[in-house]
């Protein structure tokens, strides 16, 4: 729990997140305690095969009628990024979204300079659907939001080839 709070307040993480307020420990605890009660948000911890906690990933704003959700992911320490953990976690999350929850489409939004997020989502089959012009304000400047999404049918062939 302390790790989640430390990561979400780390400037190296925050510059990529769409939220802007710092999160206190109590607020983080309340968020974690409330996870089980939220029907439209499902969040998982990400662990290595050795059991080390390295991040979290979730489905948010689940629309059970349209069968659409939005993903968010975070690998906390820079040394663990760019090693394929995010892609593995996202592919497993999409398997859960499409094959357990029977969702149809999963979306994401990244700040335009977040090349790593766009790259790992592209590997999981996400395609750009549009841009929100000058939508985020970070470090004194406005940046576009890039909206991407993947449909179950587009993801399925990738999943069949994916070797975890
Ligand atoms: C985004 C994030 C979850 C991705 O997880 P990850 O484990 O780092 O991702 P992976 O290692 O699986 O894949 C990263 C991809 O980005 C590429 N990449 C790495 N650094 C990059 C950079 N600076 N710019 C563009 N692409 C980059 C890698 O080559 C890889 O693509 P490839 O597999 O096609 O070669 C993770 O980096 C993270 O937590 N970042 C900070 C928080 C964040 O941005 N969250 C998402 C908000 S939308």
């Amino acid at each position: 729990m302390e790790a989640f709070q430390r990561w979400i307040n780390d400037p190296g993480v925050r510059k990529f997140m769409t939220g802007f307020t710092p999160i206190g420990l109590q607020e983080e605890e309340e968020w974690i305690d409330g996870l089980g009660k939220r029907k439209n948000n499902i969040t998982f911890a990400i662990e290595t095969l050795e059991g080390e906690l390295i991040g979290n990933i979730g489905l948010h704003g689940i629309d059970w009628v349209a069968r659409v959700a939005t993903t968010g992911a975070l690998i906390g320490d820079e040394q663990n990024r760019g090693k394929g953990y995010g892609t593995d976690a996202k592919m497993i999350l999409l398997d859960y979204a499409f094959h357990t929850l029977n969702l149809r489409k999963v979306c994401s939004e990244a700040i335009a300079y977040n090349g790593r997020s766009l790259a790992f989502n592209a590997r999981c089959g996400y395609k750009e659907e549009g841009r929100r012009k000058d939508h985020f304000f970070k470090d004194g400047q406005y940046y576009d939001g890039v909206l991407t999404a993947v449909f179950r049918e587009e993801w399925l062939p990738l999943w069949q080839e994916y070797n975890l």
Side-chain angles (χ1 to χ4, degrees):
M1 197 174 302
E2 286 81 4
F4 285 178
Q5 193 234 357
R6 177 163 46 82
W7 292 332
I8 202 74
N9 291 316
D10 175 349
V13 171
R14 288 173 58 80
K15 69 176 179 187
F16 296 118
M17 306 314 270
T18 54
F20 44 83
T21 47
I23 310 286
L25 189 56
Q26 188 181 341
E27 195 182 339
E28 185 71 15
E29 282 170 358
E30 285 167 5
W31 178 74
I32 289 173
D33 288 344
L35 284 177
K37 294 180 206 130
R38 291 189 206 115
K39 297 203 166 34
N40 298 332
N41 291 282
I42 301 174
T43 304
F44 295 99
I46 304 174
E47 290 186 348
T48 63
L49 292 177
E50 291 73 36
E52 183 195 351
L53 176 68
I54 58 166
N56 56 52
I57 191 163
L59 292 163
H60 308 293
I62 303 171
D63 178 335
W64 298 105
V65 176
R67 294 170 36 225
V68 176
T70 298
T71 43
L74 158 60
I75 304 283
D77 291 327
E78 176 58 31
Q79 81 228 25
N80 287 325
R81 297 190 198 126
K83 293 183 169 173
Y85 290 132
T87 304
D88 281 355
K90 182 61 72 82
M91 289 300 278
I92 295 167
L93 184 77
L94 291 173
D95 177 44
Y96 177 73
F98 292 133
H99 288 150
T100 299
L101 301 182
N102 199 24
L103 296 182
R104 187 177 60 84
K105 176 185 183 185
V106 174
C107 310
S108 174
E109 180 165 18
I111 303 174
Y113 56 70
N114 196 349
R116 218 184 236 160
S117 175
L118 292 165
F120 102 116
N121 277 335
R123 283 201 68 184
C124 299
Y126 289 68
K127 294 191 179 119
E128 186 170 325
E129 290 199 320
R131 282 183 171 243
R132 301 211 273 188
K133 288 303 285 177
D134 289 347
H135 196 72
F136 297 105
F137 187 70
K138 292 278 177 183
D139 202 20
Q141 282 192 59
Y142 293 99
Y143 294 93
D144 290 356
V146 182
L147 300 162
T148 59
V150 59
F151 285 87
R152 182 182 178 277
E153 304 73 49
E154 295 167 344
W155 165 84
L156 206 50
L158 299 176
W159 178 241
Q160 279 155 357
E161 280 175 23
Y162 198 70
N163 291 314
L164 280 172

